[in-house]
Amino acid sequence: MIPSVHRESKVIVNLAAIKANVESEIKRLSEGQELFAVVKANGYGHGSVAVARTAIEAGATGFCVSNLDEGIELRDSGITLPILVLSYVSPDYLQLIHDYKLSVTCPSIEWLQQINKMSETCHLKSPILIHVKIDTGMGRIGIRHRQEMKEVVDFFNSNSNFILQGLFTHFSTADSVSIEHFELQQKRFEKARDIFPENIPYIHTANSATALWHDAWGSNMIRFGDAMYGLNPSGRELPEPYPLIQAISFESTLIQVKRVSQGEKIGYGATYEAVTDEWIGTVPVGYADGLRRSFQGFEVIVDGEKAEIVGRICMDQFMVRLKRAVRIGTKVTIFGRNGTLFNSVQSGAEYVNTINYEITCGLSDRLPREYVSEMDRIGE
């Protein structure tokens, strides 16, 4: 999708905030631990390459992505640090994995057998680096059974084309007050750990939540994702051990302001009716930009004042109720700071009953990304 640069609507990413968040976590690391920045899904909507470069400045020593293309994008942008693809990559792409020097995830013994067969027809000048995923209770990809784990160990012991670089799992409730399932997953990973060699370079269980609230349990590498962007992985369930600074803002402008009479209807389905004569402003972004229809009623910030979204969000526009006539071209802040007011991504997530990750990942590529590094613009 081509960014719509000829309208005054954009996502602003403050790289100073991202740098500060990474530095705060690195200060908490113990000797021998390192931080890999998670820049999958276009850096949670912030822009993967710009975020990755900032994370390097802050001290990150590697990156995690979701798929092969995301890893290739970083390499093509000149990033040479280690990159781990966390999700499934088809063995058919072994040559690309090799050529772009990417580490990949092993989800099963069958996958290892398939990629080994593929290696017979590829030109491998160096071994493929592999991280084995243990499914301790997330239920996504990964190995669950002891016998299969033993077969995986035997595979690496007998095959020099592939190196066991990492062993990892993912905790599904590390961001929760309840620790029962977290402790179950810990026990399962400990049992798996006993089967594998002791000298594996990377052992990692710590996503942002595990790093923040469980001392990066069992990890010498931290996969730092949501928190890097200044977002609390738990929403508001658990307090942050240090201030996380929201890096993203979402801004637009008023393109029309009109006076409507009492009783006039606004928007698709006529779901809003003016209760008195009212000033209505129109903003040129909508659900095609990632602002869900269910944001009707959410308050954005116009000229330093709250303004309620009235009527359903349209594909390309939404309407707000203003307290007075406001000049066309006035800034409208959906998320971020405007005057003395601040709209957090978390507040938006709560309004539409989702998580903060989904809000930022949903901001479409139609919105241009503008990058700033201004300490006086970070945080609430």
Side-chain angles (χ1 to χ4, degrees), residues 10-11 14 18 20 37 92 97 101 110 189 194 211 213 218 240 268 273 278 280 287 292 297 310 312 374-375:
K10 58 190 174 184
V11 166
N14 198 324
I18 289 173
D92 293 341
I97 294 168
K101 296 181 173 58
E110 290 82 9
F189 190 75
D194 288 341
W213 297 298
E240 302 159 9
Y268 283 116
E273 179 178 319
E278 295 176 356
I280 299 296
Y287 59 76
R292 294 182 181 184
V310 295
R312 290 175 179 163
E374 302 173 10
M375 289 301 293

Side-chain angles (χ1 to χ4, degrees), residues 285-300:
V285 291
Y287 59 76
D289 300 288
L291 193 64
R292 294 182 181 184
R293 291 179 84 208
S294 49
F295 270 106
Q296 177 177 342
F298 184 70
E299 291 184 325
V300 298

Side-chain angles (χ1 to χ4, degrees), residues 4 85 110 170 183 207 218 259 298 304 343 357-358 369:
S4 299
V85 182
E110 290 82 9
H170 189 85
E183 290 177 338
N207 52 4
R259 186 76 165 172
F298 184 70
N343 266 6
Y357 304 61
E358 187 174 0
R369 267 59 174 174

